[in-house]
Amino acid sequence: MSPNPFFPDEGVLTASIDAVPGARAVATVYDLHGRVVALLGVATDFPAVVVWNGRDRSGHPALPGLYLLACEIDAGDRVRVVKVVIGCGRR
């Protein structure tokens, strides 16, 4: 995932997702209260790349702070969730 910390005025945040064939991955950005900020996408073909432009689901800029990028990977017999902390700021 890069860059981190992330400054939306300077570009986008990208994260790579890799999983076994037949898996399904959902990437979501949450605030620290567990509220969904943005759904980045659903991937079924890997490796995949998801992008966050620093905006919420309504298109408004996310406030500066910490966010969680959660990637839920469903491979049929098991579900794995990977979480990464993102620093989002303004310059």
Side-chain angles (χ1 to χ4, degrees):
M1 177 176 59
S2 68
N4 193 9
F6 164 54
F7 298 95
D9 296 339
E10 298 174 6
V12 296
L13 176 99
T14 60
S16 298
I17 303 170
D18 204 359
V20 298
R24 179 178 184 267
V26 179
T28 309
V29 176
Y30 294 92
D31 66 17
L32 295 184
H33 297 284
R35 294 179 293 235
V36 173
V37 174
L39 174 63
L40 301 188
V42 177
T44 55
D45 192 22
F46 303 99
V49 174
V50 293
V51 176
W52 185 35
N53 62 3
R55 296 187 172 272
D56 65 18
R57 294 184 296 174
S58 300
H60 300 103
L63 296 174
L66 296 177
Y67 294 87
L68 295 175
L69 170 58
C71 183
E72 181 178 326
I73 301 170
D74 184 348
D77 59 340
R78 62 191 162 108
V79 174
R80 182 172 59 120
V81 178
V82 178
K83 296 180 183 176
V84 179
V85 177
I86 303 168
C88 179
R90 303 270 182 248
R91 290 189 195 219

